[in-house]
Amino acid sequence: MRIFLLFFYLLLGGELWSQGRVISGRVVQEITTVPIPHATIRIMGSSKSVVSNTIGRFELVMPDSLNQLVVSAIGYATDTILVMSDSVVAALRTAGINMEEVVITGTMRAVQRSASIVPVEVYTPQFFRKNPTPSIFEALQLVNGVRPQLNCNVCNTGDIHINGLEGPYTMVLIDGMPIISSLASVYGLQGIPNALVERIEIVKGPASSLYGSEAIGGLINIITRNPQKAPVVSMEYTVSSWREHNLDAGFKLKSSKRSQTLIGINYYNFTQRYDKNADNFTDVTLQNRIAFFGKTSWVRKDNRAAALAIRWINEERFGGEMQWTRKFRGSDSVYGEQISTARAEMIGNYQLPVNEKMIFSFSVNTHQQLSAYGTTVFNADQRIAFAQLTWEKQAGTNQQLLAGLVGRYSYYDDNTPATGGDGGPLNIPDKVFIPGIFLQDEVNINDNHLFLAGLRYDYDQRHGSILTPRLAWKWTFSARDNLRVNAGSGFRVVNLFTEDHAALTGAREVVIMGQLKPEKSYNINLNYSRKFIMPGGFLNLEATSWYTYFTNRIVPDYQTDPDKIIYANLNGYAQSYGGSLNFEAAVQKGLRLTAGITLQEVSSTQNAETGQKTTARQMLTERWSGTWTISWNFGKTGWSADYTGNIYGPMLLPLISDLDPRSPQSPVWSLQNIQVTKKWKNGIEWFGGVKNLLNFTPSQNMDFIIARAEDPFDKQVVRDSNGRVVVTANNPYALTFDPNYVYAPNQGRKIYAGFRYTYHRKAK
């Protein structure tokens, strides 16, 4: 530990300063000269950048040897300014397309996407409006290499897969703060008002050197609107032919002379029972959810940051037999899965009033869940507190330092053997505090080469010291060609809650073999991007390949015993490798399209006691997938059309017995959608369309999806003296009830319609 503290002080003390001059300026709109807040101003030939304040002003120290600034802002075309004096004005044109977004997720610093040494994918609300959804969970189906995975046919809970890795390997953040893990991974992406989302940044690959545990497979950072820039009113309402109702609303208020507040509400209601495949189980889970979001930001001296946000979610969810009512909750008369969830979060940041750029950030959340899965009653309480102090320092003209102190406290208790029961004398809630420190040094070797080295140290009382290094290199061939190489390791500490919803369906017993050890991964990622500028449009190509090697991977065993899920560290190794290609283009006549394809292989290799090795492909993971969006803007008429979709290759599915007649793998399947939108000058939009054009459901061409839906409590299942299921006339396939054979939504074609309204206060 002393070695890392010494390294910390030496790194932060090694500053190289060069002489320069102070440049001040303003960033404004080209025609209206309205100030543009929060624009990024970067010195060309240097990694140094600043952000304009709320009235578009900025100030920076510019080396004498450099004389150009690159100015960018979301929604505006990037401009390069030649500095001829100590005062400059940057006038930016409004852009119909945005190729130079400002990103923060890859390095915890605000930089242009093209300048980031870590490849970051950015998606705005406009992208997701091509296929409106009631939650971010469903919206991510349009992102190449990212798949919302359903884990239960009855209650439709799920997680997010990135490049084939399951939900527990994906860290989700709001405004850079980790707020979702363990219990909340099932519901955390629900209930975030879409009206308050500014953009979503996605990093594929380990990021534990900055973000710690759970950031082993990738990051999803949901960045909410800055109240200073948000519209005064934003609203969206959608209704579907399945009687779904979704309302998003956002309002901006001036809470004081120096602060503004953004209020958001999301309400989703789907309470109509459907059983179109006639198995007496609801095809789609009923949900009644309300969420509240509030965010306040303050205007401070020298444009220092200060913001505080809260989020509250309450949801009732049900799936099961059509005749179920609450009086059957937890009984063995009529099967149902009923879940009551209450979740509250607080996140904030405060830049310290010192000359150095030091920011204190924190997040606190509490999550209570009361659930019944058939006769299995599951009650859980989870609380997580996270705090982080970062110090960002410019060392000379070519070196950017970032250091941080972090701490995470987790409390978890439930009524299962995982914590010793339900409050009795043996009940022992899981309480863990994990402190850490990280260092990052980004060096601009020259105009073409950027290098980054990072190291993080965490201490877990259960597992001891954990080190996660990181290296990255960016080679700029030209202004339009970039090659990025990222390598590093990631880790995930054990959470007693399995994070696998299959463990709670009431159909299987959870068995943990031995003391689970933390998982660790080693990854290398190669990314190449190329931009083509065309008259009236552009073409972007981005190709990525990756390889990840896992040790101590925690693997659920569904096959050994159909009544159990057995969890143990893999005696061997696991690996994930593949490649993806993203394509984005816009042409002069209003046509814009994106497309992507991913090829991947995820497997685990088990070492047997005899010395033999057995390699198995991962369940519920496709080997290839693709996504696309095609949008057409009909000139100045206000009309536009969007055609979106995805396609997935076969994936292995869990069977119950050797006689199980269901297919051991899924077919090639695709969800496709079409939408028409009309925009009016008064801020109103009308839209409507059809989802799942091909009317695909997993139950097509199959006798059943849920095993023994007619006997969900296994009352008619006969077993032998060893507990094995016996073939009978009533049970010819030797099955037990199991709803975990699921890979796609069970909702067929639906028609939807809605409207949006946005009001911006006119500049004076």
Side-chain angles (χ1 to χ4, degrees):
M1 183 65 183
R2 293 178 180 177
I3 295 176
F4 295 106
L5 290 176
L6 179 62
F7 178 49
F8 176 82
Y9 291 125
L10 289 175
L11 184 59
L12 294 182
E15 301 172 2
L16 301 174
W17 299 99
S18 63
Q19 296 183 359
R21 61 193 190 279
V22 177
I23 303 297
S24 61
R26 294 184 300 129
V27 184
V28 299
Q29 295 181 11
E30 184 179 55
I31 298 176
T32 64
T33 69
V34 172
I36 300 176
H38 309 292
T40 298
I41 302 93
R42 180 175 62 88
I43 301 174
M44 181 175 285
S46 168
S47 61
K48 183 173 183 180
S49 63
V50 297
V51 178
S52 64
N53 64 17
T54 55
I55 56 174
R57 295 189 178 276
F58 67 90
E59 189 175 279
L60 53 76
V61 178
M62 190 167 191
D64 293 332
S65 59
L66 302 175
N67 65 352
Q68 287 184 302
L69 298 176
V70 179
V71 185
S72 62
I74 294 177
Y76 298 89
T78 299
D79 198 8
T80 301
I81 306 297
L82 182 65
V83 178
M84 304 295 292
S85 66
D86 293 341
S87 179
V88 298
V89 176
L92 302 185
R93 300 192 314 274
T94 301
I97 59 175
N98 182 33
M99 300 168 59
E100 293 295 332
E101 303 96 337
V102 175
V103 298
I104 63 172
T105 305
T107 59
M108 280 193 185
R109 296 196 306 110
V111 297
Q112 288 178 275
R113 183 187 174 200
S114 62
S116 174
I117 196 170
V118 177
V120 181
E121 297 181 18
V122 182
Y123 298 92
T124 64
Q126 287 72 25
F127 176 81
F128 295 116
R129 284 175 181 172
K130 301 175 188 295
N131 179 39
T133 59
S135 72
I136 292 176
F137 175 84
E138 297 174 50
L140 292 173
Q141 65 184 282
L142 292 182
V143 178
N144 183 32
V146 177
R147 181 169 66 86
Q149 167 64 42
L150 294 177
N151 294 327
C152 176
N153 245 319
V154 178
C155 65
N156 288 164
T157 56
D159 53 33
I160 298 295
H161 288 205
I162 294 183
N163 288 345
L165 297 179
E166 301 99 321
Y169 301 95
T170 299
M171 174 172 277
V172 181
L173 308 100
I174 292 183
D175 291 335
M177 286 290 95
I179 52 89
I180 296 172
S181 62
S182 191
L183 187 63
S185 65
V186 175
Y187 306 101
L189 285 171
Q190 313 279 352
I192 300 176
N194 294 332
L196 303 188
V197 175
E198 181 174 294
R199 66 187 187 275
I200 296 176
E201 298 180 1
I202 298 176
V203 175
K204 299 173 181 176
S208 291
S209 63
L210 280 183
Y211 295 95
S213 180
E214 278 89 51
I216 194 170
L219 291 172
I220 299 175
N221 191 2
I222 302 165
I223 300 184
T224 60
R225 292 181 182 271
N226 187 320
Q228 310 291 339
K229 300 189 296 181
V232 177
V233 178
S234 57
M235 186 176 297
E236 179 176 319
Y237 170 74
T238 308
V239 62
S240 81
S241 57
W242 283 61
R243 302 188 190 180
E244 297 165 287
H245 302 268
N246 186 69
L247 174 66
D248 269 328
F251 309 92
K252 182 170 72 173
L253 308 171
K254 188 173 180 61
S255 47
S256 72
K257 291 182 179 180
R258 302 185 64 84
S259 68
Q260 295 200 57
T261 298
L262 195 60
I263 304 295
I265 299 173
N266 169 253
Y267 179 65
Y268 177 70
N269 179 279
F270 174 60
T271 53
Q272 180 67 34
R273 302 187 186 195
Y274 289 94
D275 180 24
K276 296 191 177 183
N277 61 359
D279 62 359
N280 196 40
F281 271 73
T282 52
D283 291 339
V284 182
T285 303
L286 310 186
Q287 296 179 57
N288 190 21
R289 180 179 65 244
I290 186 167
F292 170 86
F293 184 91
K295 182 178 181 179
T296 299
S297 66
W298 286 265
V299 177
R300 300 176 60 212
K301 184 180 178 181
D302 298 325
N303 197 34
R304 293 191 178 101
L308 181 67
I310 59 173
R311 186 166 73 116
W312 172 80
I313 304 172
N314 187 279
E315 182 189 77
E316 295 290 329
R317 181 183 292 234
F318 162 74
E321 293 188 90
M322 294 291 288
Q323 67 272 28
W324 188 91
T325 62
R326 289 188 72 92
K327 71 179 182 179
F328 296 113
R329 189 180 192 273
S331 72
D332 64 353
S333 299
V334 179
Y335 188 90
E337 297 187 6
Q338 191 274 326
I339 307 166
S340 299
T341 302
R343 179 175 175 85
E345 300 162 357
M346 177 182 292
I347 57 178
N349 64 74
Y350 179 79
Q351 186 172 347
L352 302 185
V354 296
N355 291 331
E356 304 293 338
K357 188 174 182 180
M358 302 182 71
I359 299 178
F360 174 74
S361 305
F362 71 92
S363 66
V364 180
N365 66 67
T366 175
H367 188 114
Q368 282 80 41
Q369 182 172 317
L370 304 176
S371 313
Y373 302 88
T375 58
T376 301
V377 176
F378 174 74
N379 299 325
D381 180 13
Q382 177 178 275
R383 305 162 205 169
I384 295 178
F386 180 89
Q388 173 178 280
L389 178 64
T390 57
W391 183 12
E392 185 179 332
K393 188 72 174 179
Q394 181 76 29
T397 58
N398 299 321
Q399 193 171 10
Q400 189 78 30
L401 304 174
L402 179 71
L405 295 172
V406 297
R408 175 175 174 176
Y409 173 80
S410 300
Y411 172 94
Y412 177 78
D413 191 17
D414 65 23
N415 63 328
T416 73
T419 57
D422 55 357
L426 299 179
N427 189 61
I428 305 175
D430 187 37
K431 302 176 183 179
V432 179
F433 176 66
I434 304 177
I437 181 173
F438 63 83
L439 310 168
Q440 179 176 277
D441 188 7
E442 190 171 336
V443 182
N444 213 10
I445 301 174
N446 54 42
D447 289 344
N448 298 325
H449 295 279
L450 185 63
F451 178 78
L452 180 146
L455 181 67
R456 179 176 175 124
Y457 171 84
D458 291 270
Y459 180 78
D460 188 318
Q461 62 190 22
R462 302 164 298 179
H463 311 302
S465 300
I466 304 173
L467 282 174
T468 46
R470 180 190 200 188
L471 293 173
W473 170 52
K474 176 173 174 280
W475 180 12
T476 302
F477 295 93
S478 68
R480 301 178 184 176
D481 292 89
N482 290 288
L483 177 67
R484 297 175 174 89
V485 180
N486 282 256
S489 66
F491 75 97
R492 188 172 78 93
V493 297
V494 177
N495 286 300
L496 291 177
F497 180 74
T498 64
E499 298 176 338
D500 188 335
H501 182 266
L504 298 173
T505 61
R508 292 178 182 247
E509 176 189 354
V510 177
V511 177
I512 298 176
M513 301 293 290
Q515 184 177 0
L516 298 180
K517 300 176 182 179
E519 298 179 315
K520 198 154 190 179
S521 72
Y522 305 88
N523 171 272
I524 186 168
N525 183 297
L526 181 66
N527 174 271
Y528 173 74
S529 60
R530 167 73 179 178
K531 297 180 180 179
F532 300 88
I533 306 299
M534 304 177 296
F538 69 90
L539 170 64
N540 289 345
L541 292 176
E542 187 167 349
T544 303
S545 61
W546 72 89
Y547 175 79
T548 305
Y549 180 91
F550 293 89
T551 60
N552 291 335
R553 188 165 186 189
I554 300 171
V555 179
D557 177 6
Y558 296 89
Q559 306 299 322
T560 300
D561 189 328
D563 296 323
K564 296 179 180 179
I565 301 179
I566 303 172
Y567 289 90
N569 286 115
L570 180 67
N571 180 22
Y573 62 90
Q575 56 184 354
S576 167
Y577 58 88
S580 66
L581 178 65
N582 285 335
F583 169 90
E584 180 184 14
V587 297
Q588 195 170 20
K589 294 183 179 181
L591 178 65
R592 181 164 183 168
L593 58 93
T594 66
I597 185 171
T598 295
L599 306 176
Q600 62 191 15
E601 186 71 25
V602 184
S603 64
S604 59
T605 299
Q606 179 79 32
N607 296 327
E609 295 181 357
T610 60
Q612 294 181 331
K613 295 183 178 181
T614 304
T615 299
R617 181 180 156 203
Q618 181 174 280
M619 286 275 184
L620 297 170
T621 302
E622 69 282 4
R623 281 179 164 158
W624 61 269
S625 64
T627 60
W628 68 86
T629 70
I630 302 175
S631 302
W632 184 269
N633 189 351
F634 295 91
K636 298 180 180 180
T637 65
W639 287 95
S640 61
D642 300 288
Y643 171 53
T644 61
N646 49 50
I647 186 169
Y648 300 103
M651 59 186 75
L652 298 181
L653 302 174
L655 300 180
I656 303 301
S657 73
D658 294 337
L659 299 176
D660 195 330
R662 297 174 296 182
S663 173
Q665 67 177 20
S666 65
V668 175
W669 58 283
S670 175
L671 299 178
Q672 302 178 28
N673 322 285
I674 193 167
Q675 175 180 265
V676 176
T677 303
K678 168 63 176 177
K679 294 184 180 181
W680 303 86
K681 294 183 179 180
N682 57 4
I684 294 178
E685 296 180 33
W686 292 95
F687 59 90
V690 181
K691 289 180 180 287
N692 196 357
L693 283 167
L694 303 181
N695 198 30
F696 171 80
T697 62
S699 59
Q700 290 177 354
N701 302 318
M702 295 190 67
D703 293 334
F704 60 90
I705 292 292
I706 299 177
R708 292 196 61 79
E710 73 282 4
D711 182 24
F713 299 101
D714 292 337
K715 293 181 178 181
Q716 301 175 39
V717 172
V718 179
R719 301 174 186 269
D720 62 18
S721 58
N722 295 318
R724 292 188 294 263
V725 179
V726 176
V727 174
T728 64
N730 179 264
N731 189 10
Y733 304 119
L735 302 179
T736 58
F737 173 71
D738 190 86
N740 298 312
Y741 185 93
V742 58
Y743 58 91
N746 201 32
Q747 187 175 45
R749 184 186 298 119
K750 66 178 178 181
I751 301 171
Y752 68 95
F755 75 91
R756 300 184 186 97
Y757 174 69
T758 305
Y759 170 70
H760 291 269
R761 183 177 289 114
K762 295 181 180 179
K764 297 181 180 179

